[in-house]
Amino acid sequence: MGAQVRGVALAATMLLATACGGSEDPAAQADNPAGVIISNVDDDSRYRGAEPAAPYQMPDVTLTTTGGDAFNLLNDAQHPVTLVFFGYTHCPDVCPLVMSDLTYAYLHLPDDVREQTQLVFITTDPARDDPATLQAYLDRYDEAFLGLTGELPDITAAAEGMGVAVEGKHRLPGGGYDVGHGAQVVGFRGSSAPVIWTQGTPPADMISDITELAAS
């Protein structure tokens, strides 16, 4: 499958999002738990993850860290490699799975690669994810992970710039709500993202790709 075909498949990720907590179609959820279209890559591809036809560019959007500081995604992401995931702390299923895989991959990177890599978690539920809640959630995975929040329109704009769908709230019959969002992780080298990993990507593939990004 060529890069242009992969790009067509990946473009559909903007149209589909997973409402963490379940799918109306259990069979489809089992076949594609991330709620996105997954594409294979060529045997001679540089990365094991999926590659968009054109790399995503880091959006010029300013959000807020859990410490209350302004953080511009384009200008303040200083590590050579940045991994971005959109999720929320009340997510009952997909987000913990993705974060567990990401944490495993991050902790098993070669030391020099891990020093070049920053993982950024951007909440899609700023109403409930206040800075303290977000920080406590990320600390369960790794204290080095950066949490960002902000106004929902800014978060949505950042997500759209990276090809990640954010649908917003889905009310639950028993009360409360889930938040629909794309579950892919976007891998940046500098301000350009040539690779994404859909939910279920083996951590070994992430480790290989992150190491490749760091060597670029």
Side-chain angles (χ1 to χ4, degrees), residues 78-167:
Q78 297 298 317
H79 288 66
V81 177
T82 305
L83 316 177
V84 181
F85 178 63
F86 290 82
Y88 65 111
T89 66
H90 286 73
C91 176
D93 42 28
V94 174
C95 297
L97 290 173
V98 174
M99 288 299 295
S100 293
D101 285 345
L102 269 174
T103 302
Y104 181 92
Y106 178 82
L107 292 176
H108 286 81
L109 290 170
D111 290 345
D112 61 324
V113 175
R114 188 166 58 253
E115 291 173 357
Q116 299 180 64
T117 303
Q118 181 175 52
L119 190 145
V120 177
F121 181 101
I122 302 176
T123 181
T124 57
D125 186 18
R128 290 185 293 189
D129 288 346
D130 59 71
T133 299
L134 185 55
Q135 188 62 60
Y137 176 84
L138 293 176
D139 285 348
R140 287 161 32 197
Y141 294 101
D142 195 285
E143 293 181 358
F145 294 168
L146 176 65
L148 297 179
T149 185
E151 298 296 328
L152 188 57
D154 293 330
I155 292 170
T156 301
E160 289 178 352
M162 301 183 203
V164 178
V166 176
E167 288 184 349

Coordinates of all heavy atoms in Angstrom, one line a residue, residues 78-167:
Q78 N 10.3 21.4 23.0 CA 11.7 21.6 22.8 C 12.5 20.3 22.6 O 13.6 20.3 22.1 CB 12.4 22.3 24.0 CG 11.8 23.7 24.2 CD 12.1 24.6 23.0 OE1 13.2 24.6 22.4 NE2 11.1 25.4 22.6
H79 N 11.8 19.1 22.9 CA 12.5 17.9 22.6 C 12.5 17.5 21.1 O 11.6 17.9 20.4 CB 11.8 16.7 23.4 CG 12.0 16.8 24.9 ND1 11.5 17.8 25.7 CD2 12.6 15.9 25.7 CE1 11.8 17.6 26.9 NE2 12.5 16.4 27.0
P80 N 13.5 16.9 20.7 CA 13.6 16.5 19.3 C 12.4 15.6 18.8 O 11.9 15.8 17.7 CB 14.9 15.7 19.1 CG 15.8 16.2 20.2 CD 14.8 16.5 21.4
V81 N 11.9 14.8 19.7 CA 10.8 13.9 19.5 C 9.6 14.2 20.4 O 9.8 14.3 21.6 CB 11.2 12.4 19.6 CG1 9.9 11.5 19.3 CG2 12.3 12.1 18.6
T82 N 8.4 14.4 19.9 CA 7.3 14.7 20.7 C 6.2 13.7 20.3 O 5.8 13.6 19.2 CB 6.7 16.1 20.5 OG1 7.8 17.0 20.8 CG2 5.6 16.4 21.5
L83 N 5.6 13.0 21.3 CA 4.5 12.1 21.1 C 3.3 12.7 21.7 O 3.3 13.1 22.9 CB 4.8 10.8 21.8 CG 6.2 10.2 21.6 CD1 6.4 8.9 22.4 CD2 6.5 10.0 20.2
V84 N 2.2 12.8 20.9 CA 1.0 13.5 21.4 C -0.2 12.6 21.4 O -0.4 11.9 20.4 CB 0.7 14.7 20.5 CG1 -0.6 15.5 21.0 CG2 1.9 15.7 20.4
F85 N -0.9 12.5 22.5 CA -2.1 11.7 22.6 C -3.2 12.6 23.3 O -3.0 13.3 24.3 CB -1.8 10.5 23.5 CG -3.0 9.6 23.7 CD1 -3.7 9.0 22.7 CD2 -3.6 9.5 25.0 CE1 -4.8 8.2 22.8 CE2 -4.7 8.7 25.2 CZ -5.3 8.1 24.1
F86 N -4.4 12.5 22.7 CA -5.5 13.2 23.2 C -6.4 12.2 23.9 O -6.8 11.2 23.4 CB -6.3 13.8 22.1 CG -5.7 15.0 21.4 CD1 -4.7 14.8 20.4 CD2 -6.0 16.3 21.8 CE1 -4.1 15.9 19.8 CE2 -5.4 17.4 21.2 CZ -4.4 17.2 20.2
G87 N -6.7 12.5 25.2 CA -7.6 11.6 26.0 C -8.1 12.3 27.2 O -8.1 13.5 27.3
Y88 N -8.6 11.6 28.2 CA -9.2 12.2 29.4 C -9.1 11.2 30.5 O -9.1 10.0 30.3 CB -10.6 12.7 29.1 CG -11.7 11.7 28.8 CD1 -12.7 11.5 29.8 CD2 -11.7 11.0 27.6 CE1 -13.7 10.6 29.5 CE2 -12.7 10.1 27.4 CZ -13.7 9.9 28.3 OH -14.7 9.0 28.0
T89 N -9.1 11.7 31.7 CA -8.8 10.9 32.9 C -10.0 10.0 33.3 O -9.7 9.0 33.9 CB -8.4 11.8 34.1 OG1 -9.6 12.6 34.5 CG2 -7.3 12.7 33.8
H90 N -11.2 10.3 32.9 CA -12.3 9.5 33.2 C -12.6 8.4 32.2 O -13.5 7.6 32.3 CB -13.6 10.3 33.4 CG -13.7 11.2 34.6 ND1 -12.9 12.3 34.8 CD2 -14.4 11.0 35.8 CE1 -13.1 12.8 36.0 NE2 -14.0 12.0 36.6
C91 N -11.8 8.3 31.2 CA -11.9 7.3 30.1 C -11.8 5.9 30.7 O -10.8 5.6 31.4 CB -10.9 7.5 29.1 SG -10.9 6.3 27.7
P92 N -12.8 5.1 30.6 CA -12.8 3.8 31.3 C -12.0 2.7 30.5 O -11.7 1.6 31.2 CB -14.2 3.4 31.4 CG -14.8 4.0 30.1 CD -14.1 5.3 29.9
D93 N -11.7 2.8 29.3 CA -11.1 1.7 28.6 C -10.0 2.1 27.6 O -8.8 1.7 27.8 CB -12.2 0.9 27.8 CG -13.2 1.8 27.1 OD1 -12.9 2.9 26.7 OD2 -14.4 1.4 27.0
V94 N -10.3 2.8 26.5 CA -9.3 3.0 25.5 C -8.1 3.8 26.0 O -6.9 3.4 25.7 CB -9.9 3.7 24.3 CG1 -8.9 4.1 23.2 CG2 -11.0 2.8 23.7
C95 N -8.3 4.9 26.7 CA -7.2 5.7 27.1 C -6.2 5.0 28.0 O -5.0 5.1 27.8 CB -7.7 7.0 27.8 SG -8.7 8.1 26.7
P96 N -6.7 4.2 29.0 CA -5.7 3.5 29.8 C -4.9 2.5 29.0 O -3.7 2.2 29.3 CB -6.6 2.8 30.9 CG -7.8 3.6 31.0 CD -8.0 4.1 29.6
L97 N -5.5 1.8 28.0 CA -4.8 0.9 27.2 C -3.7 1.5 26.4 O -2.6 1.1 26.3 CB -5.8 0.1 26.2 CG -6.8 -0.8 26.9 CD1 -7.8 -1.3 25.9 CD2 -6.0 -2.0 27.5
V98 N -4.1 2.7 25.8 CA -3.1 3.4 25.0 C -2.0 3.9 25.9 O -0.8 3.8 25.6 CB -3.7 4.5 24.2 CG1 -2.7 5.4 23.5 CG2 -4.7 4.0 23.2
M99 N -2.3 4.5 27.0 CA -1.3 5.1 27.9 C -0.4 4.0 28.5 O 0.8 4.2 28.7 CB -2.0 5.8 29.0 CG -2.6 7.2 28.6 SD -1.3 8.3 27.9 CE -0.4 8.6 29.4
S100 N -0.9 2.8 28.7 CA -0.1 1.7 29.2 C 0.9 1.3 28.2 O 2.1 1.1 28.5 CB -1.0 0.5 29.6 OG -1.8 0.9 30.8
D101 N 0.4 1.2 26.9 CA 1.4 0.8 25.9 C 2.4 1.9 25.6 O 3.6 1.6 25.4 CB 0.6 0.6 24.6 CG -0.2 -0.7 24.6 OD1 0.1 -1.6 25.4 OD2 -1.1 -0.9 23.7
L102 N 2.0 3.1 25.7 CA 2.9 4.2 25.5 C 4.0 4.3 26.6 O 5.2 4.5 26.4 CB 2.2 5.6 25.5 CG 1.7 6.1 24.1 CD1 0.9 7.3 24.3 CD2 2.9 6.4 23.2
T103 N 3.5 4.1 27.8 CA 4.4 4.1 29.0 C 5.4 2.9 28.9 O 6.6 3.1 29.1 CB 3.6 4.0 30.3 OG1 2.7 5.0 30.4 CG2 4.6 4.0 31.5
Y104 N 5.0 1.8 28.5 CA 5.9 0.6 28.3 C 6.9 1.0 27.3 O 8.1 0.8 27.5 CB 5.1 -0.6 27.9 CG 6.0 -1.8 27.7 CD1 6.2 -2.7 28.8 CD2 6.6 -2.1 26.5 CE1 7.0 -3.8 28.6 CE2 7.4 -3.2 26.3 CZ 7.6 -4.1 27.4 OH 8.5 -5.1 27.3
A105 N 6.5 1.5 26.1 CA 7.4 1.9 25.1 C 8.4 2.9 25.5 O 9.6 2.8 25.3 CB 6.6 2.4 23.8
Y106 N 7.9 3.9 26.2 CA 8.7 5.0 26.7 C 9.8 4.5 27.6 O 11.0 4.9 27.5 CB 7.9 6.1 27.3 CG 8.6 7.3 27.9 CD1 9.1 8.3 27.1 CD2 9.0 7.3 29.3 CE1 9.7 9.4 27.6 CE2 9.6 8.4 29.8 CZ 10.0 9.4 29.0 OH 10.7 10.5 29.5
L107 N 9.4 3.7 28.6 CA 10.4 3.2 29.6 C 11.4 2.2 29.0 O 12.4 2.0 29.6 CB 9.6 2.6 30.7 CG 8.8 3.5 31.6 CD1 8.0 2.8 32.7 CD2 9.7 4.6 32.2
H108 N 11.1 1.6 27.8 CA 12.0 0.6 27.2 C 12.8 1.2 26.1 O 13.4 0.5 25.3 CB 11.2 -0.6 26.8 CG 10.8 -1.5 27.9 ND1 9.7 -1.2 28.7 CD2 11.3 -2.6 28.5 CE1 9.5 -2.1 29.7 NE2 10.5 -3.0 29.5
L109 N 12.7 2.5 25.9 CA 13.5 3.2 24.9 C 15.0 3.2 25.4 O 15.3 3.2 26.6 CB 13.1 4.6 24.7 CG 11.8 4.9 24.0 CD1 11.4 6.4 24.1 CD2 11.8 4.5 22.5
P110 N 15.9 3.1 24.4 CA 17.3 3.4 24.9 C 17.4 4.7 25.6 O 16.7 5.7 25.3 CB 18.1 3.4 23.5 CG 17.2 2.6 22.6 CD 15.8 2.9 23.0
D111 N 18.3 4.8 26.6 CA 18.4 5.9 27.5 C 18.6 7.2 26.7 O 17.9 8.2 26.9 CB 19.6 5.8 28.4 CG 19.3 4.7 29.5 OD1 18.1 4.3 29.6 OD2 20.3 4.3 30.2
D112 N 19.4 7.2 25.6 CA 19.7 8.4 24.9 C 18.4 8.8 24.1 O 18.2 10.0 23.8 CB 20.9 8.3 24.0 CG 20.7 7.2 22.9 OD1 20.1 6.1 23.3 OD2 21.2 7.3 21.8
V113 N 17.6 7.9 23.6 CA 16.4 8.2 22.9 C 15.4 8.7 23.8 O 14.7 9.7 23.5 CB 15.9 6.9 22.1 CG1 14.6 7.2 21.4 CG2 16.9 6.4 21.1
R114 N 15.2 8.1 25.0 CA 14.2 8.6 25.9 C 14.5 10.0 26.4 O 13.6 10.8 26.6 CB 14.2 7.7 27.2 CG 13.0 8.0 28.1 CD 12.8 6.9 29.2 NE 14.0 6.7 30.0 CZ 14.7 5.6 29.8 NH1 14.4 4.6 28.9 NH2 15.8 5.4 30.6
E115 N 15.8 10.4 26.5 CA 16.1 11.8 26.9 C 15.7 12.8 25.8 O 15.5 14.0 26.1 CB 17.6 11.9 27.1 CG 18.1 11.1 28.4 CD 19.6 11.1 28.5 OE1 20.3 11.6 27.6 OE2 20.1 10.6 29.5
Q116 N 15.6 12.3 24.5 CA 15.2 13.2 23.4 C 13.7 13.2 23.2 O 13.2 13.9 22.3 CB 15.8 12.7 22.1 CG 17.4 12.7 22.1 CD 17.9 12.2 20.8 OE1 17.7 12.8 19.8 NE2 18.6 11.1 20.8
T117 N 12.9 12.5 24.0 CA 11.5 12.2 23.8 C 10.6 12.8 24.9 O 10.9 12.6 26.0 CB 11.2 10.7 23.6 OG1 12.1 10.2 22.6 CG2 9.8 10.5 23.3
Q118 N 9.6 13.5 24.4 CA 8.6 14.0 25.4 C 7.2 13.5 25.0 O 6.8 13.6 23.8 CB 8.6 15.6 25.4 CG 7.6 16.2 26.4 CD 7.7 17.7 26.5 OE1 7.6 18.3 25.5 NE2 7.9 18.2 27.7
L119 N 6.5 13.0 26.0 CA 5.1 12.6 25.8 C 4.2 13.7 26.3 O 4.3 14.1 27.4 CB 4.8 11.2 26.5 CG 3.5 10.6 26.1 CD1 3.6 9.1 26.0 CD2 2.4 11.0 27.0
V120 N 3.3 14.1 25.4 CA 2.3 15.2 25.8 C 0.9 14.6 25.7 O 0.5 14.0 24.7 CB 2.4 16.3 24.8 CG1 1.4 17.4 25.1 CG2 3.8 16.9 24.8
F121 N 0.2 14.7 26.8 CA -1.2 14.2 27.0 C -2.1 15.5 27.0 O -1.9 16.3 27.9 CB -1.3 13.4 28.2 CG -2.7 12.8 28.5 CD1 -3.0 11.5 28.2 CD2 -3.7 13.6 29.0 CE1 -4.3 11.0 28.4 CE2 -5.0 13.1 29.2 CZ -5.3 11.8 28.9
I122 N -2.9 15.6 26.0 CA -3.8 16.7 26.0 C -5.3 16.3 26.3 O -5.8 15.4 25.6 CB -3.8 17.4 24.6 CG1 -2.4 17.8 24.2 CG2 -4.8 18.6 24.5 CD1 -2.2 18.4 22.8
T123 N -5.8 16.8 27.3 CA -7.2 16.4 27.7 C -8.2 16.8 26.7 O -8.2 17.9 26.2 CB -7.6 16.9 29.1 OG1 -8.9 16.4 29.5 CG2 -7.6 18.4 29.2
T124 N -9.2 15.9 26.5 CA -10.4 16.3 25.7 C -11.6 16.6 26.6 O -12.7 16.8 26.1 CB -10.7 15.1 24.7 OG1 -10.9 13.9 25.5 CG2 -9.6 14.9 23.7
D125 N -11.3 16.6 27.9 CA -12.4 16.9 28.9 C -11.9 17.9 29.9 O -11.8 17.6 31.1 CB -12.7 15.5 29.5 CG -13.9 15.6 30.5 OD1 -14.7 16.6 30.4 OD2 -14.1 14.7 31.3
P126 N -11.7 19.1 29.5 CA -11.1 20.1 30.4 C -12.1 20.5 31.5 O -11.7 21.0 32.6 CB -10.9 21.3 29.5 CG -11.8 21.2 28.3 CD -11.9 19.7 28.1
A127 N -13.4 20.2 31.4 CA -14.4 20.5 32.4 C -14.1 19.7 33.7 O -14.2 20.2 34.8 CB -15.8 20.3 31.9
R128 N -13.7 18.5 33.5 CA -13.4 17.6 34.6 C -11.9 17.5 34.9 O -11.5 17.2 36.1 CB -14.0 16.2 34.4 CG -15.5 16.2 34.5 CD -16.1 14.8 34.4 NE -15.8 14.2 33.1 CZ -16.4 13.0 32.7 NH1 -17.2 12.4 33.5 NH2 -16.1 12.5 31.5
D129 N -11.1 17.6 33.9 CA -9.7 17.4 34.1 C -9.0 18.7 34.5 O -8.3 19.4 33.7 CB -9.0 16.9 32.8 CG -9.4 15.4 32.6 OD1 -9.9 14.8 33.5 OD2 -9.2 14.9 31.5
D130 N -9.2 19.1 35.8 CA -8.5 20.3 36.3 C -7.0 19.9 36.4 O -6.6 18.7 36.3 CB -9.0 20.8 37.6 CG -9.0 19.7 38.7 OD1 -7.9 19.4 39.1 OD2 -10.0 19.1 39.0
P131 N -6.1 20.9 36.6 CA -4.7 20.6 36.6 C -4.3 19.5 37.6 O -3.4 18.6 37.3 CB -4.0 21.9 36.9 CG -5.0 22.9 36.3 CD -6.3 22.4 36.6
A132 N -4.8 19.6 38.8 CA -4.5 18.6 39.8 C -4.9 17.2 39.4 O -4.1 16.2 39.6 CB -5.1 19.0 41.2
T133 N -6.1 17.1 38.9 CA -6.6 15.8 38.4 C -5.8 15.2 37.3 O -5.4 14.0 37.3 CB -8.1 15.9 38.0 OG1 -8.9 16.3 39.1 CG2 -8.6 14.5 37.5
L134 N -5.4 16.1 36.3 CA -4.6 15.6 35.2 C -3.2 15.2 35.6 O -2.7 14.2 35.1 CB -4.6 16.8 34.2 CG -3.9 16.5 32.8 CD1 -4.5 15.3 32.1 CD2 -4.0 17.7 31.9
Q135 N -2.6 16.0 36.5 CA -1.3 15.7 36.9 C -1.2 14.3 37.7 O -0.3 13.5 37.5 CB -0.7 16.8 37.8 CG 0.8 16.6 38.1 CD 1.7 16.6 36.9 OE1 1.7 17.6 36.1 NE2 2.4 15.5 36.6
A136 N -2.2 14.2 38.6 CA -2.3 12.9 39.4 C -2.4 11.7 38.4 O -1.9 10.6 38.7 CB -3.4 13.0 40.4
Y137 N -3.2 11.9 37.4 CA -3.5 10.8 36.4 C -2.2 10.4 35.7 O -1.8 9.3 35.6 CB -4.5 11.2 35.4 CG -4.8 10.3 34.3 CD1 -5.7 9.2 34.5 CD2 -4.2 10.5 33.1 CE1 -6.0 8.3 33.4 CE2 -4.5 9.6 32.0 CZ -5.4 8.5 32.2 OH -5.6 7.7 31.2
L138 N -1.5 11.4 35.2 CA -0.2 11.2 34.5 C 0.9 10.6 35.4 O 1.7 9.8 34.9 CB 0.2 12.4 33.8 CG -0.7 12.9 32.7 CD1 -0.2 14.3 32.1 CD2 -0.8 11.9 31.5
D139 N 0.9 11.0 36.6 CA 1.9 10.5 37.6 C 1.8 9.0 37.8 O 2.8 8.4 38.1 CB 1.8 11.3 38.9 CG 2.4 12.7 38.8 OD1 3.0 13.0 37.8 OD2 2.2 13.4 39.8
R140 N 0.6 8.5 37.5 CA 0.5 7.0 37.7 C 1.2 6.3 36.6 O 1.5 5.1 36.7 CB -1.0 6.7 37.6 CG -1.8 7.0 38.9 CD -3.3 7.1 38.7 NE -3.8 6.2 37.7 CZ -5.0 6.3 37.2 NH1 -5.8 7.4 37.6 NH2 -5.5 5.5 36.3
Y141 N 1.5 7.0 35.5 CA 2.2 6.4 34.4 C 3.7 6.8 34.4 O 4.6 5.9 34.5 CB 1.6 6.8 33.0 CG 0.2 6.3 32.9 CD1 -0.9 7.1 33.1 CD2 0.0 5.0 32.5 CE1 -2.2 6.6 33.0 CE2 -1.3 4.5 32.3 CZ -2.4 5.3 32.6 OH -3.7 4.8 32.4
D142 N 4.0 8.1 34.3 CA 5.4 8.5 34.5 C 5.4 10.0 34.8 O 4.7 10.8 34.1 CB 6.2 8.2 33.2 CG 7.7 8.4 33.4 OD1 8.2 9.5 33.5 OD2 8.4 7.3 33.5
E143 N 6.2 10.4 35.7 CA 6.2 11.8 36.1 C 6.8 12.7 35.1 O 6.6 14.0 35.2 CB 6.9 12.0 37.5 CG 6.2 11.3 38.6 CD 7.0 11.5 39.9 OE1 8.1 12.1 39.9 OE2 6.5 11.1 41.0
A144 N 7.4 12.2 34.1 CA 8.0 13.0 33.0 C 7.0 13.4 32.0 O 7.2 14.3 31.2 CB 9.1 12.2 32.3
F145 N 5.8 12.8 32.0 CA 4.8 13.1 31.0 C 4.2 14.5 31.2 O 3.9 14.9 32.4 CB 3.7 12.0 31.0 CG 4.2 10.7 30.5 CD1 3.3 9.6 30.7 CD2 5.4 10.5 30.0 CE1 3.7 8.3 30.3 CE2 5.8 9.2 29.6 CZ 5.0 8.1 29.7
L146 N 4.0 15.2 30.2 CA 3.4 16.6 30.2 C 1.9 16.6 30.0 O 1.5 16.1 28.9 CB 4.1 17.5 29.2 CG 3.6 18.9 29.1 CD1 3.9 19.7 30.4 CD2 4.3 19.6 27.9
G147 N 1.2 17.1 30.9 CA -0.3 17.3 30.7 C -0.7 18.7 30.3 O -0.2 19.6 30.9
L148 N -1.5 18.8 29.3 CA -2.0 20.1 28.9 C -3.5 20.1 28.9 O -4.2 19.2 28.6 CB -1.5 20.4 27.4 CG 0.0 20.5 27.2 CD1 0.3 20.7 25.7 CD2 0.6 21.6 28.1
T149 N -4.1 21.3 29.3 CA -5.5 21.5 29.2 C -5.7 22.9 28.6 O -4.8 23.5 28.1 CB -6.1 21.5 30.6 OG1 -7.5 21.6 30.5 CG2 -5.5 22.5 31.6
G150 N -6.9 23.4 28.6 CA -7.2 24.7 28.0 C -8.7 24.8 27.6 O -9.5 24.0 28.1
E151 N -9.0 25.8 26.9 CA -10.4 25.9 26.4 C -10.7 24.9 25.3 O -9.8 24.6 24.5 CB -10.6 27.3 25.8 CG -10.4 28.5 26.8 CD -11.4 28.4 27.9 OE1 -12.6 28.0 27.7 OE2 -11.1 28.8 29.1
L152 N -11.9 24.3 25.3 CA -12.2 23.2 24.4 C -12.0 23.6 23.0 O -11.5 22.8 22.2 CB -13.6 22.7 24.7 CG -14.0 21.5 23.9 CD1 -13.0 20.3 24.2 CD2 -15.4 21.0 24.2
P153 N -12.4 24.8 22.5 CA -12.1 25.2 21.1 C -10.6 25.1 20.7 O -10.3 24.7 19.6 CB -12.7 26.6 21.0 CG -13.7 26.7 22.1 CD -13.2 25.9 23.2
D154 N -9.8 25.5 21.7 CA -8.3 25.5 21.4 C -7.8 24.0 21.3 O -7.0 23.7 20.5 CB -7.5 26.2 22.5 CG -7.8 27.7 22.4 OD1 -8.1 28.2 21.3 OD2 -7.7 28.3 23.5
I155 N -8.4 23.2 22.2 CA -8.0 21.8 22.2 C -8.5 21.1 20.9 O -7.7 20.3 20.3 CB -8.6 21.1 23.4 CG1 -7.9 21.6 24.7 CG2 -8.5 19.5 23.3 CD1 -8.6 21.1 26.0
T156 N -9.7 21.4 20.5 CA -10.2 20.9 19.3 C -9.4 21.3 18.1 O -9.1 20.5 17.1 CB -11.7 21.2 19.1 OG1 -12.4 20.8 20.2 CG2 -12.3 20.7 17.8
A157 N -9.0 22.6 18.1 CA -8.2 23.1 16.9 C -6.8 22.4 16.9 O -6.4 22.0 15.8 CB -8.0 24.6 17.1
A158 N -6.2 22.2 18.0 CA -5.0 21.4 18.1 C -5.1 20.0 17.6 O -4.3 19.5 16.8 CB -4.4 21.4 19.5
A159 N -6.2 19.4 18.0 CA -6.5 18.0 17.5 C -6.7 17.9 16.0 O -6.1 17.1 15.3 CB -7.7 17.4 18.3
E160 N -7.5 18.8 15.5 CA -7.8 18.8 14.1 C -6.5 19.0 13.3 O -6.3 18.4 12.2 CB -8.8 19.9 13.7 CG -10.2 19.6 14.2 CD -11.2 20.7 13.9 OE1 -10.7 21.8 13.5 OE2 -12.4 20.5 14.1
G161 N -5.6 19.9 13.8 CA -4.3 20.1 13.1 C -3.4 18.8 13.0 O -2.5 18.8 12.2
M162 N -3.7 17.9 13.9 CA -2.9 16.6 13.9 C -3.7 15.5 13.4 O -3.3 14.3 13.5 CB -2.5 16.3 15.4 CG -1.6 17.4 16.0 SD -1.1 16.9 17.7 CE -0.8 18.5 18.4
G163 N -4.9 15.8 12.8 CA -5.7 14.7 12.2 C -6.5 13.9 13.2 O -6.8 12.7 13.0
V164 N -6.7 14.4 14.4 CA -7.4 13.7 15.5 C -8.8 14.2 15.7 O -8.9 15.4 15.9 CB -6.6 13.7 16.8 CG1 -7.4 13.0 17.9 CG2 -5.2 13.2 16.7
A165 N -9.8 13.4 15.6 CA -11.2 13.8 15.8 C -11.5 14.0 17.3 O -11.1 13.1 18.1 CB -12.1 12.8 15.2
V166 N -12.2 15.0 17.6 CA -12.7 15.2 19.0 C -14.2 15.5 18.8 O -14.6 16.6 18.3 CB -12.0 16.4 19.7 CG1 -12.7 16.6 21.1 CG2 -10.6 16.1 19.9
E167 N -15.1 14.6 19.2 CA -16.5 14.7 19.0 C -17.2 15.4 20.2 O -18.3 15.9 20.0 CB -17.1 13.3 18.9 CG -16.8 12.6 17.5 CD -17.5 11.3 17.4 OE1 -18.1 10.8 18.4 OE2 -17.6 10.8 16.3

